[in-house]
Amino acid sequence: MTGKVWLVGSGPGGTGLLTLRAREVIDRAEVILYDQLPGEEILSTLPGHAELIDCGKYGGDHTLEQDEIEALMLDRALSGRRVVRLKGGDPFLFGRGGEEIDTLRANGVPCEVVPGVTSAIAVPAAVGIAVTHRKYASQVTVITGHEDPGKPESALEWEALAKLSGTLVILMGVKNLGKITEILTGYGKDRNTPVAIIERGLRADQRVTTGVLSDISEHAKKAGVRPPAIIVIGDVVRMYREDLPGLIPPEGENSSFLEISGRNKD
Ligand code: SAH
């Protein structure tokens, strides 16, 4: 008998933002193929009775390729097991979840998608930034910065992106940040547009670097910004306040202007 696959989003990290449905299917799974993005706080709660397969991208010999991951997932499901494919954030936002569903469908394997809280919205929220706000932005665009924007065959329409008003949220953009800011200003985007970079959002070691389009790349270099990080470009960044997040109030202090749930406080 064929098993079943649950394609599960873990949220941005921190067990508080894992959905109840995700917790339920994880706890009942016989096999879990997990990425590293969900983070230690969640990965340390995976049930010991399940076969745990690390699908993290490390570079080098220990990395499973996408087709190997899909082959393992199919193999376990076709041998009748309950399989969870666990991904960071939401499985359908830059998580290759779409491709995995295609493979399961093509092979007649039943599948359930368990959406997750996406980092694209939750991580800016963690530092007080609403990706839309009537005063600042009535639209938000989410893109991957993974591709070199200088490549002529870039799948992204950089000229159109530079002309858009509203908020631009960039995932996987740390490595190409310099090229991205250059191409946006080159196509006429205001060099003084505010930018915030949030590293490891909603995790204990979250860090924020701010600037404007023309200097953020320099600030990021100085600060040694590393992935995973969310880059937010637009006037909504004005909502960021260093003293505002109040996510982890200092010891013994529990009054804060704004609290964002989900991040564990101890
Ligand atoms: N499916 C995921 C995104 C996968 S792409 C989602 O919906 O969130 C991986 C990128 O997500 C990272 O490079 C980073 O840009 C972003 N990301 C995910 N979790 C993050 C976190 N906790 N803090 C900052 N960025 C995060």
Side-chain angles (χ1 to χ4, degrees), residues 184-238:
L184 289 173
T185 51
Y187 279 125
K189 193 158 180 76
D190 186 349
R191 299 170 61 79
N192 288 316
T193 311
V195 184
I197 307 176
I198 309 122
E199 295 169 84
R200 300 175 297 279
L202 290 152
R203 315 250 169 113
D205 53 350
Q206 169 179 298
R207 181 170 73 151
V208 185
T209 305
T210 56
V212 294
L213 208 49
S214 61
D215 65 16
I216 190 68
S217 171
E218 205 50 44
H219 290 316
K221 229 178 262 163
K222 266 195 206 127
V225 168
R226 285 182 295 120
I230 295 284
I231 301 165
V232 188
I233 303 177
D235 284 333
V236 290
V237 170
R238 297 182 198 286

Side-chain angles (χ1 to χ4, degrees), residues 28 32 95 120 128 156-158 171 186 198 231 236 243 264:
R28 287 181 8 216
I32 303 177
L156 289 161
E157 297 162 75
W158 290 101
L171 278 65
I198 309 122
I231 301 165
V236 290
D243 59 342
N264 288 358

Side-chain angles (χ1 to χ4, degrees), residues 9 11-13 37-38 87-96 116-121 123 144 170-174 198-203 206 226-231:
L37 192 60
K87 293 166 171 293
D90 183 274
F92 280 171
L93 189 75
F94 301 131
R96 305 193 74 167
V117 174
T118 182
S119 64
I121 296 173
V123 167
T144 168
I170 307 179
L171 278 65
M172 298 178 278
V174 172
I198 309 122
E199 295 169 84
R200 300 175 297 279
L202 290 152
R203 315 250 169 113
Q206 169 179 298
R226 285 182 295 120
I230 295 284
I231 301 165

